[in-house]
């Protein structure tokens, strides 16, 4: 035992803190699985059925949900403004607004507000006009249904797993906390309402999930959105950094609450990372935001990151395969060839054993 202590420092350097590699949580989980066994003759079946039952209870059945007027507009607008396929139509709508208001000098702030309010309606009318003129086959199927907007009846979920995170609305935070989110976006910042020269920069938004809503676009496809309450990202108002370097947030100062039609409370499920909020006892009303790593993500060391591998495309592989066959020659060109007569063999006869004379 005395000699064992000598190796502890080397082991910590090689493998890191022991809490990242001990087996206690695995042993506890194995004990939980063992408690699922009710029929000792069929232990695997008992464990599988109990596991599925627990998953069903934790996730719950999704329920139908009728979107409010503001919710439907805000959710659909967010989908449109964050869809790559719609970007050409956003550019075209921007040109339309400038032609329409060519007698006015639109500053960037006014232009953004106009496009924010009018694009969804213009996009729907524009796509329907293209359908009448050129037929439905001239427009991408997804664009057609995106332009029409989602159904008023959506689906509300109790939990959603994505990218190694497990998200739940804040009303289900009891023993564990799974509602905290953080999002970094490029935002045009204005110093005041009269500012005509916005600055584009990265802004970090902290929030909590209020609802997990799945929009239904006429049974053609669906989109999962998180409706969140967002903290005001203004430094010193909703966000600050304490003397220890910890980032603090204050949920008493919120923006984009969803009460106004111009608010943006929604975000895509795959855009956010998960954070935990811990109450700060030094600053009342403030919470420390702690970002967590996704589940089942492991650090394999720097040597793995240095290796750059590019998947070989199948179509290129087949192309090279065909080229290599085209370059193959199956005739000898260094000697003269001889013509021989091969013996004729009927289907009923066997092949003769003698070799054909050359």
């Amino acid at each position: 035992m005395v000699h064992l202590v000598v190796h502890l420092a080397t082991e910590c350097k090689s493998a890191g803190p022991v809490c990242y590699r001990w087996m206690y949580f695995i042993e506890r989980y194995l004990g939980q699985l063992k408690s699922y066994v009710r029929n000792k003759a069929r232990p695997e079946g008992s464990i599988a059925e109990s596991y599925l039952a627990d998953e069903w209870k934790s996730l719950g059945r999704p329920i139908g949900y009728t979107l409010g007027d503001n919710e439907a507009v805000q959710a659909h607008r967010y989908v449109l403004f964050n869809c790559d396929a719609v970007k050409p139509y956003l550019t075209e709508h921007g040109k339309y607004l400038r032609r329409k208001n060519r007698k006015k000098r639109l500053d960037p702030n006014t232009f953004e507000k106009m496009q924010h309010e009018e694009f969804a309606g213009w996009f729907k009318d524009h796509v329907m006009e293209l359908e009448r003129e050129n037929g439905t086959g001239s427009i991408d199927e997804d664009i057609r249904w995106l332009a029409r907007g989602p159904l008023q009846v959506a689906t509300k979920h109790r939990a959603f797993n994505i990218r190694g995170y497990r998200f739940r609305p804040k009303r289900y935070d009891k023993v564990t906390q799974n509602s905290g989110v953080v999002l970094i976006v490029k935002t045009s910042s204005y110093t005041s309402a009269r500012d005509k020269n916005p600055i584009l920069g990265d802004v970090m938004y902290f929030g909590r999930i209020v609802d997990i809503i799945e929009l239904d676009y006429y049974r053609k496809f669906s989109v999962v959105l998180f409706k969140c309450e967002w903290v005001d990202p203004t430094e010193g108002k909703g966000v600050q950094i304490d003397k220890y370097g910890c980032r603090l947030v204050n949920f008493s100062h919120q923006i984009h609450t969803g009460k106004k039609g111009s608010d943006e409370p929604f975000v895509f499920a795959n855009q956010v990372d998960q954070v935990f909020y811990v109450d700060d006892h030094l600053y009342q009303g403030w919470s420390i935001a702690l970002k967590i790593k996704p589940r089942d993500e492991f650090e394999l060391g720097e040597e793995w990151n240095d290796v750059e591998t590019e998947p070989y495309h199948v179509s290129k592989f087949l192309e090279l395969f065909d080229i290599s066959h085209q370059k193959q020659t199956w005739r000898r060109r260094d000697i003269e060839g001889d013509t021989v007569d091969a013996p004729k063999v009927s289907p009923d006869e066997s092949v003769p054993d003698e070799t054909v004379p050359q």
Side-chain angles (χ1 to χ4, degrees):
M1 293 300 294
V2 176
H3 180 71
L4 178 64
V5 180
V6 179
H7 299 284
L8 290 180
T10 305
E11 186 178 353
C12 289
K13 290 181 180 179
S14 302
V18 69
C19 60
Y20 293 130
R21 49 196 169 85
W22 60 22
M23 302 295 290
Y24 294 135
F25 70 98
I26 296 179
E27 292 174 357
R28 286 196 298 268
Y29 184 63
L30 291 176
Q32 180 182 349
L33 294 180
K34 187 177 179 180
S35 67
Y36 289 160
V37 178
R38 294 292 182 268
N39 183 357
K40 293 185 178 181
R42 298 289 187 270
E44 298 89 350
S46 297
I47 293 174
E49 288 185 359
S50 299
Y51 183 85
L52 291 176
D54 282 353
E55 285 290 309
W56 181 255
K57 285 190 297 182
S58 61
L59 291 177
R61 294 186 60 184
I63 59 175
Y65 175 71
T66 303
L67 296 170
D69 294 337
N70 271 352
E71 279 185 319
V73 172
Q74 293 163 354
H76 179 51
R77 182 176 59 212
Y78 188 85
V79 173
L80 293 181
F81 276 77
N82 290 273
C83 180
D84 292 336
V86 183
K87 287 183 179 179
Y89 296 92
L90 278 168
T91 304
E92 188 174 350
H93 180 247
K95 296 177 181 178
Y96 164 77
L97 288 178
R98 290 188 173 90
R99 290 195 304 267
K100 182 181 177 182
N101 301 274
R102 58 179 175 269
K103 295 183 180 180
K104 304 177 183 178
R105 298 185 62 181
L106 295 178
D107 58 86
N109 192 8
T110 305
F111 176 78
E112 285 185 6
K113 289 182 178 179
M114 292 179 64
Q115 191 168 45
H116 201 255
E117 295 172 359
E118 301 177 12
F119 176 71
W122 175 90
F123 182 53
K124 181 178 180 179
D125 296 338
H126 181 68
V127 170
M128 294 183 70
E129 183 179 352
L130 292 177
E131 289 181 3
R132 288 192 297 268
E133 293 178 357
N134 306 323
T136 57
S138 61
I139 303 175
D140 184 74
E141 192 74 11
D142 292 340
I143 292 295
R144 290 181 57 214
W145 298 110
L146 269 175
R148 282 163 171 76
L151 296 175
Q152 200 73 16
V153 178
T155 305
K156 187 181 290 187
H157 296 272
R158 293 186 58 184
F160 195 79
N161 298 340
I162 187 171
R163 296 174 51 234
Y165 298 116
R166 180 182 179 85
F167 294 104
R168 294 170 70 93
K170 70 172 187 176
R171 61 180 175 273
Y172 298 117
D173 285 345
K174 295 178 181 178
V175 179
T176 59
Q177 183 185 142
N178 295 296
S179 62
V181 293
V182 62
L183 173 68
I184 301 177
V185 297
K186 288 191 175 296
T187 305
S188 299
S189 302
Y190 299 88
T191 57
S192 65
R194 298 182 180 179
D195 186 11
K196 297 183 180 180
N197 298 311
I199 299 176
L200 186 65
D202 293 335
V203 179
M204 183 177 292
Y205 289 90
F206 290 92
R208 289 185 298 207
I209 299 175
V210 178
D211 280 313
I212 301 175
I213 297 175
E214 183 178 2
L215 300 181
D216 183 8
Y217 284 84
Y218 294 89
R219 301 292 189 270
K220 301 298 179 180
F221 56 88
S222 61
V223 179
V224 176
L225 297 173
F226 292 163
K227 185 180 181 181
C228 306
E229 54 182 22
W230 298 105
V231 174
D232 190 341
T234 305
E235 194 72 26
K237 190 174 182 181
V239 178
Q240 68 175 359
I241 298 177
D242 65 5
K243 60 182 179 181
Y244 302 106
C246 299
R247 187 171 293 276
L248 309 179
V249 298
N250 192 334
F251 278 93
S252 62
H253 300 279
Q254 297 183 10
I255 58 173
H256 298 296
T257 57
K259 296 179 180 179
K260 300 179 182 179
S262 58
D263 289 345
E264 294 185 6
F266 290 96
V267 67
F268 283 138
N270 61 348
Q271 289 180 327
V272 297
D273 293 327
Q274 194 170 56
V275 294
F276 289 154
Y277 297 115
V278 181
D279 292 337
D280 193 335
H281 299 289
L282 297 179
Y283 303 93
Q284 294 297 324
W286 293 83
S287 301
I288 303 174
L290 302 175
K291 190 174 180 181
I292 67 170
K293 288 185 177 181
R295 300 176 182 178
D296 300 331
E297 183 176 288
F298 304 98
E299 181 63 45
L300 298 179
E302 296 181 357
E303 64 273 8
W304 289 91
N305 299 330
D306 295 337
V307 180
E308 295 184 0
T309 58
E310 182 179 354
Y312 206 88
H313 200 278
V314 177
S315 61
K316 292 183 179 180
F317 178 78
L318 295 178
E319 181 181 351
L320 292 176
F321 189 78
D322 293 339
I323 293 175
S324 65
H325 270 283
Q326 292 172 6
K327 292 182 179 179
Q328 286 285 358
T329 56
W330 301 99
R331 290 188 304 166
R332 296 186 61 179
R333 299 179 181 274
D334 55 340
I335 59 174
E336 293 185 1
D338 295 331
T339 303
V340 297
D341 295 328
K344 296 182 179 180
V345 180
S346 62
D348 299 333
E349 297 178 356
S350 60
V351 180
D353 295 335
E354 62 270 18
T355 306
V356 180
Q358 300 291 330

